[in-house]
């Protein structure tokens, strides 16, 4: 059956089809192919073929497998032979449709009766295409059915087992191939009959002819023609978005708490990089969340530039919040979310790997290099795109169902952790508010399609409006019925601690929290005014008593630096203090009836007294209350690394047209009849210069052999305009422009007759 070479088939394509090939396989266009021969060589390269097959679905790959099994990489085969290999369950039209994407990418070419596949396809499909072994030359032309009819049931059982699984099996009976009359076991008798091939002393292989005969009318087994059904559940889109809004508020609160915790107690960076298990667990306890969530928050915070590793002279390398965290904390909720979500979307790491073990059974920790996976953003977007394509409000029931669909759509993508990555992506996207109830949110779609700015605006419509009031309860709890305005949130957070969070946040007032507010410079009158004006419920008497009682005791002792001093107008208080055991530890001594001094630094002195039950405050030289709390620790912000494109750049219509013209020009140059060819190591001979100058004078075209600055040789047809200054200027009709060629790079020249 005559076949067509790929280069000839490419020459026969129309310009639109050739442009479509270059669009589908952009790697073929870099650098620009000189002609169809160069393009065909690239199109058949193993790496390029593997890349072209990455997004084929399972049935399209089955059609490619059928071509390889039929031997189309060695000799052309008919379409009918391919259809027969796919089995009777596959309609002919379905099989023909599966061949079209293969043609479109120049992996298959030729007429229906003479289809050829690129030889590299056999390596892509694998050593056992369709689960079949290599053909045995000894069985060519043999009546396999008659030979199988002579076998015993144990012998048939061995063959059927190998036909249903990979065709290679382990055995103890392949040390040699004995004559049939000396064979004692089923394997030995099959080896003697030539129905098995011996690989080595412990391995046998089932020849392709035997496997095909045993499989009958389904040579490639049971094929999955169609995408698995994806079970869905439908909800109102507003319910999905409001559920996601709650997750966003939780996310922002957790990140705020992480920044606060790591500002006060920054964890150390491990010698091998990453966050230690002890610090991970401590942070999880402090934030009251699980360790996997801490790992995700840490990874996203570092990616967003809110946390970085920084050196402190006394403590070594630590994970510290950056100065950018302050700007983030003061931004609007939707803007803070957009920064985190965008950083996660392009994160070249897999946070879900944290907690697992590597090949050496060592634990993988967050923020370590072992979690880096360059293809993670591509895999993440693939999962989210699949969810975004569902109708609004429609969500998956299980991530395993989505993993099965993605595995059918592109079985060559994702690697061995493909299904795990799908589950991790859904879980992480749910925690970040991109997915809720198994469905993609409106803000998630906006982030994928239009970017973080539009996504923030979309989320703002779903977030509950900030409230300017709280509800005080008799049990000293403060209920915030929604997210508080930033200023109110800071004041309430100063005077009370969060007890529980959710749709409504519950704070609790205690002696310690009231004292904290007084230490920060708030007076009892300030606290009464805050609660009276911001509470929609009456201020309970127990709360008023708590504030007044703490205020009476607060500040009776005043400390300064002596190293430090304490003063009190009530001499009895100082007498009581001197009798307390803390006076010995603090090295207190009386300078005057109302003054004590100590060698301890003032912050340490006040902390010791508070732990002993006293309520001192710090004062400045003017007698005003000082807030000695240390400010948040911050490291310099680091710019986010430039994102690298994960896929070849999409070619524009103009670029494609230019590439096609270049290929056509190269083909024309190769086919054009030539006058005498003058070859040289650079144009320096009088004859060559005379040829080019004569062509310029006559308006003729010449074909030149040219080597560019990268050392790549090509042939060009140009119409010389001028020669001078060591440069040939000529008009390239394929590009429609005047080009300049250094004469020393021209290695041959010949006139193209009109």
């Amino acid at each position: 059956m005559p076949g067509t070479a790929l280069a000839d088939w490419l020459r026969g394509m129309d310009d639109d089809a050739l442009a479509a090939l270059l669009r589908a396989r952009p790697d073929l266009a870099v650098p620009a192919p000189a002609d169809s021969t160069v393009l065909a060589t690239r199109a058949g390269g193993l790496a390029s073929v593997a890349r072209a097959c990455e997004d084929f679905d399972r049935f399209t790959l089955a059609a490619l497998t059928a071509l390889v099994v039929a031997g189309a990489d060695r000799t052309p085969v008919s379409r009918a032979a391919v259809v027969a290999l796919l089995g009777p369950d596959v309609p002919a039209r379905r099989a023909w449709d599966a061949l079209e994407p293969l043609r479109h990418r120049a992996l298959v070419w030729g007429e229906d009766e003479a289809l050829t596949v690129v030889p590299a396809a056999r390596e892509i499909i694998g050593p056992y295409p369709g689960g079949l072994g290599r053909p045995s030359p000894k069985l060519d032309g043999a009546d396999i059915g008659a030979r199988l009819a002579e076998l015993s049931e144990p012998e048939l059982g061995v063959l059927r087992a190998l036909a249903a699984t990979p065709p290679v099996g382990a055995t103890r009976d392949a040390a040699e191939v004995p004559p049939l009359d000396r064979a004692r076991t089923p394997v030995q008798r099959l080896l003697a009959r030539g129905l098995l091939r011996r690989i080595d002393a412990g391995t046998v292989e089932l020849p392709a002819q035997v496997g095909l005969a045993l499989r009958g009318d389904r040579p490639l087994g049971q094929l999955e023609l169609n995408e698995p059904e994806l079970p869905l559940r439908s909800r109102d889109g507003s319910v999905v978005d409001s559920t996601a809004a709650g997750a966003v508020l939780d996310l922002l609160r957790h990140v705020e708490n992480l920044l606060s915790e790591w500002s006060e107690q920054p964890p150390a960076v491990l010698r091998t990089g990453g966050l230690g298990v002890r610090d991970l667990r401590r942070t999880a306890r402090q934030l009251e969340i699980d360790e996997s969530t801490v790992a995700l928050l840490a990874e996203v915070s570092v990616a967003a530039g809110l946390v970085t590793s920084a050196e402190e002279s006394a403590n070594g390398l630590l994970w510290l919040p950056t100065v950018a965290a302050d700007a983030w904390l003061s931004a609007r909720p939707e803007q803070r979310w957009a920064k985190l979500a965008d950083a996660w979307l392009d994160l070249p790491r897999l946070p879900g790997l944290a907690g697992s073990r590597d090949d050496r059974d060592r634990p993988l920790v967050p923020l370590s290099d072992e979690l880096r996976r360059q293809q993670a953003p591509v895999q993440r977007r693939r999962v989210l795109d699949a969810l975004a394509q569902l109708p609004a409000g429609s969500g998956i029931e299980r991530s395993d169902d989505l993993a099965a669909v993605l595995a059918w759509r592109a079985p060559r993508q994702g690697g061995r952790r493909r299904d795990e990555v799908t589950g991790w992506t859904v879980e992480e996207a749910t925690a970040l508010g991109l997915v809720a109830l198994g469905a993609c949110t409106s803000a998630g779609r906006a982030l994928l399609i239009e970017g973080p700015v539009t996504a923030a605006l979309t989320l703002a419509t779903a977030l509950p409006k900030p409230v300017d009031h709280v509800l005080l309860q008799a049990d000293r709890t403060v209920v915030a019925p929604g997210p508080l305005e930033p200023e109110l949130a800071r004041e309430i957070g100063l005077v009370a601690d969060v007890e529980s969070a959710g749709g409504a946040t519950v704070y609790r007032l205690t002696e310690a929290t009231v004292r904290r507010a007084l230490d920060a410079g708030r007076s009892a009158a300030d606290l009464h005014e805050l609660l009276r004006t911001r509470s929609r419920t009456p201020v309970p008497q127990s709360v008023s008593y708590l504030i007044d009682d703490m205020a009476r005791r607060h500040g009776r002792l005043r400390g300064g630096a002596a190293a430090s001093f304490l003063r009190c107008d009530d001499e009895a208080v100082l007498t009581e203090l001197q009798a307390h055991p803390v006076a010995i530890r603090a090295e207190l001594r009386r300078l005057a009836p109302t003054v004590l001094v100590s060698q301890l630094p003032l912050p340490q002195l006040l902390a010791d007294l508070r732990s002993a039950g006293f309520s001192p405050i710090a004062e400045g030289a003017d007698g005003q209350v000082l807030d000695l709390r240390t400010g948040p620790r911050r490291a310099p912000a680091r710019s986010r690394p430039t994102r690298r494109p994960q896929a070849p750049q999409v070619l524009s219509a103009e670029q494609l047209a230019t590439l096609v013209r270049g290929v056509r020009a190269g083909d024309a140059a190769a086919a054009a009849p030539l006058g005498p060819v003058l070859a040289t190591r650079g144009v320096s001979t009088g004859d060559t210069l005379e040829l080019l100058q004569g062509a310029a004078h006559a308006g003729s075209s010449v074909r030149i052999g040219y080597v560019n600055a990268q050392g790549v040789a090509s042939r060009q047809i140009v119409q010389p305009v001028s020669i001078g200054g060591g440069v040939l200027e000529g008009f390239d009709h394929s590009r429609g422009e005047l080009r300049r060629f250094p004469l020393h790079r021209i290695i041959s020249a010949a006139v193209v007759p009109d």
Side-chain angles (χ1 to χ4, degrees):
M1 187 184 308
T4 304
L6 178 55
D8 293 335
W9 188 67
L10 293 173
R11 291 188 191 99
M13 279 185 169
D14 60 40
D15 289 354
D16 289 342
L18 191 57
L21 169 63
L22 294 171
R23 184 184 297 109
R25 299 178 64 179
D27 59 301
L28 302 182
V30 182
D35 53 30
S36 293
T37 300
V38 173
L39 184 59
T41 301
R42 290 184 193 171
L46 179 60
S48 181
V49 172
R51 193 176 296 113
C53 292
E54 280 185 353
D55 56 355
F56 284 155
D57 61 46
R58 189 161 286 166
F59 184 68
T60 303
L61 289 175
L64 183 61
T65 300
L67 285 160
V68 172
V69 171
D73 56 326
R74 300 187 180 97
T75 182
V77 301
S78 68
R79 185 167 62 178
V82 176
V83 173
L85 282 170
L86 293 174
D89 296 335
V90 180
R93 174 55 59 186
R94 182 76 172 86
W96 300 342
D97 291 344
L99 294 176
E100 286 310 305
L102 301 175
R103 287 179 181 270
H104 180 65
R105 301 197 178 191
L107 301 177
V108 174
W109 68 93
E111 302 301 326
D112 287 349
E113 296 304 315
L115 296 174
T116 306
V117 67
V118 289
R122 186 171 290 274
E123 294 185 62
I124 297 302
I125 296 301
Y128 305 113
L132 297 169
R134 295 166 295 172
S136 172
K138 296 180 180 180
L139 297 177
D140 287 342
D143 187 348
I144 305 297
R147 293 196 181 191
L148 293 177
E150 299 173 354
L151 300 181
S152 65
E153 192 59 34
E155 293 167 351
L156 283 172
V158 172
L159 297 182
R160 287 172 182 149
L162 291 175
T165 59
V168 174
T171 180
R172 298 178 180 178
D173 301 327
E176 59 178 352
V177 181
L180 183 59
D181 57 352
R182 290 172 48 196
R184 296 183 179 181
T185 66
V187 169
Q188 290 178 343
R189 289 193 290 271
L190 291 170
L191 288 170
R193 294 175 186 272
L195 297 177
L196 280 182
R197 177 191 286 114
R198 178 182 180 274
I199 303 300
D200 55 40
T203 312
V204 294
E205 180 182 350
L206 182 71
Q209 299 96 320
V210 180
L212 289 170
L214 289 169
R215 291 181 180 183
D217 60 357
R218 289 180 174 78
L220 298 184
Q222 194 68 37
L223 302 179
E224 295 182 65
L225 276 70
N226 302 307
E227 180 178 299
E229 183 179 354
L230 182 60
L232 299 177
R233 52 188 176 189
S234 183
R235 289 184 172 85
D236 188 88
S238 61
V239 174
V240 172
D241 289 343
S242 61
T243 303
V248 168
L249 294 177
D250 286 342
L251 169 73
L252 299 181
R253 178 172 55 84
H254 292 325
V255 174
E256 290 171 12
N257 292 341
L258 177 76
L259 296 176
S260 175
E261 174 67 21
W262 284 11
S263 175
E264 296 178 4
Q265 298 184 28
V269 179
L270 298 178
R271 286 184 299 174
T272 55
L275 176 66
V277 175
R278 289 184 179 179
D279 289 316
L280 177 69
R281 292 173 178 169
R282 175 181 59 81
T283 304
R285 286 194 304 271
Q286 294 296 324
L287 272 58
E288 298 182 347
I289 54 179
D290 57 69
E291 294 174 17
S292 62
T293 302
V294 173
L296 174 62
L297 297 179
E299 291 282 354
V300 173
S301 297
V302 171
L306 307 181
V307 172
T308 190
S309 56
E311 185 83 28
E312 281 196 351
S313 57
N315 302 307
L317 200 60
L318 303 174
W319 291 111
L320 277 169
T322 68
V323 293
D326 296 319
W328 182 84
L329 288 167
S330 63
R332 296 181 61 84
E334 62 271 17
Q335 295 170 335
R336 286 187 281 162
W337 169 82
K339 188 174 184 66
L340 297 176
D342 188 47
W344 172 78
L345 193 61
D346 292 311
L347 179 66
R349 304 170 58 79
L350 289 179
L353 281 174
S356 61
R357 293 185 172 271
D358 62 12
D359 296 337
R360 299 181 181 179
D361 200 37
R362 296 176 300 186
L364 301 179
V365 297
L367 305 178
S368 63
D369 287 340
E370 286 78 6
L371 269 59
R372 180 172 294 278
R373 297 292 186 277
Q374 201 61 38
Q375 288 300 308
V378 174
Q379 297 169 344
R380 197 172 287 126
R381 282 183 177 270
R382 182 167 171 253
V383 175
L384 295 177
D385 285 341
L387 292 174
Q389 291 166 8
L390 299 176
S394 295
I396 60 173
E397 295 182 357
R398 301 184 312 143
S399 60
D400 290 347
D401 297 329
L402 180 60
V405 169
L406 295 177
W408 187 91
R409 289 180 183 176
R412 291 183 57 82
Q413 288 188 19
R416 63 187 180 92
R417 290 192 177 272
R418 176 186 58 212
D419 294 351
E420 289 179 284
V421 170
T422 300
W424 293 337
T425 300
V426 173
E427 291 176 5
E428 293 167 10
T430 301
L432 272 79
L434 294 166
V435 171
L437 304 174
C440 187
T441 65
S442 299
R445 283 189 176 86
L447 181 65
L448 290 171
I449 299 172
E450 301 181 66
V453 175
T454 304
L457 295 175
T458 304
L459 177 68
T461 62
L463 287 173
K465 300 301 180 184
V467 297
D468 60 356
H469 63 277
V470 294
L471 306 173
L472 276 171
Q473 308 292 323
D475 61 353
R476 297 182 180 176
T477 57
V478 183
V479 179
L484 298 176
E485 292 178 344
E487 180 62 28
L488 178 58
R490 283 193 291 270
E491 291 300 312
I492 295 297
L494 183 64
V495 75
D497 285 336
V498 174
E499 189 169 81
S500 65
T505 303
V506 178
Y507 299 82
R508 179 168 292 280
L509 288 155
T510 65
E511 290 187 0
T513 62
V514 173
R515 184 171 60 198
R516 180 176 64 205
L518 295 172
D519 288 345
R522 307 300 188 271
S523 66
D526 294 335
L527 299 182
H528 284 305
E529 179 68 12
L530 170 70
L531 299 179
R532 183 184 63 80
T533 58
R534 292 304 188 109
S535 175
R536 291 288 177 86
T537 57
V539 178
Q541 194 175 53
S542 60
V543 172
S544 298
Y545 284 170
L546 173 64
I547 294 173
D548 291 339
D549 183 55
M550 290 303 301
R552 276 193 300 271
R553 291 185 288 152
H554 190 267
R556 296 173 70 187
L557 285 176
R558 293 178 173 263
S564 55
F565 69 85
L566 295 170
R567 72 175 182 85
C568 182
D569 295 334
D570 188 346
E571 299 179 21
V573 173
L574 295 184
T575 301
E576 176 189 356
L577 177 56
Q578 278 193 297
H580 196 281
V582 73
I584 300 175
R585 297 197 304 271
E587 302 177 7
L588 292 175
R589 60 189 179 88
R590 205 159 190 160
L591 289 184
T594 58
V595 179
L596 296 177
V597 295
S598 171
Q599 295 302 315
L600 297 181
L602 182 59
Q604 182 180 344
L605 173 62
L606 298 185
D608 285 351
L609 295 180
R610 286 166 183 157
S611 65
F614 294 91
S615 298
I617 61 172
E619 68 175 7
D622 56 359
Q624 297 299 313
V625 174
L626 292 179
D627 185 358
L628 294 182
R629 294 179 302 162
T630 57
R633 298 162 76 174
R634 294 291 184 259
R638 296 183 182 178
S639 59
R640 291 176 63 179
T642 303
R643 298 174 187 167
R644 297 181 180 179
Q646 301 294 330
Q649 183 180 3
V650 177
L651 299 172
S652 66
E654 293 77 11
Q655 290 173 316
L656 290 170
T658 300
L659 289 167
V660 170
R661 284 197 302 268
V663 172
R664 299 304 189 205
D667 291 342
L674 300 177
V677 178
L678 299 178
T680 179
R681 295 182 180 178
V683 177
S684 58
T685 66
D687 290 343
T688 306
L689 286 173
E690 184 178 349
L691 182 148
L692 295 175
Q693 290 168 344
H697 180 73
S700 301
S701 296
V702 296
R703 188 181 78 179
I704 60 173
Y706 180 72
V707 179
N708 65 15
Q710 289 74 40
V712 178
S714 63
R715 290 172 293 185
Q716 313 278 345
I717 292 184
V718 296
Q719 182 178 348
V721 175
S722 65
I723 296 96
V727 174
L728 162 66
E729 286 191 341
F731 191 80
D732 186 343
H733 290 282
S734 68
R735 298 190 180 185
E737 62 182 21
L738 192 68
R739 299 180 63 191
R740 296 166 60 87
F741 300 91
L743 292 177
H744 70 277
R745 295 190 179 278
I746 297 175
I747 57 176
S748 65
V751 175
V752 179
D754 296 333

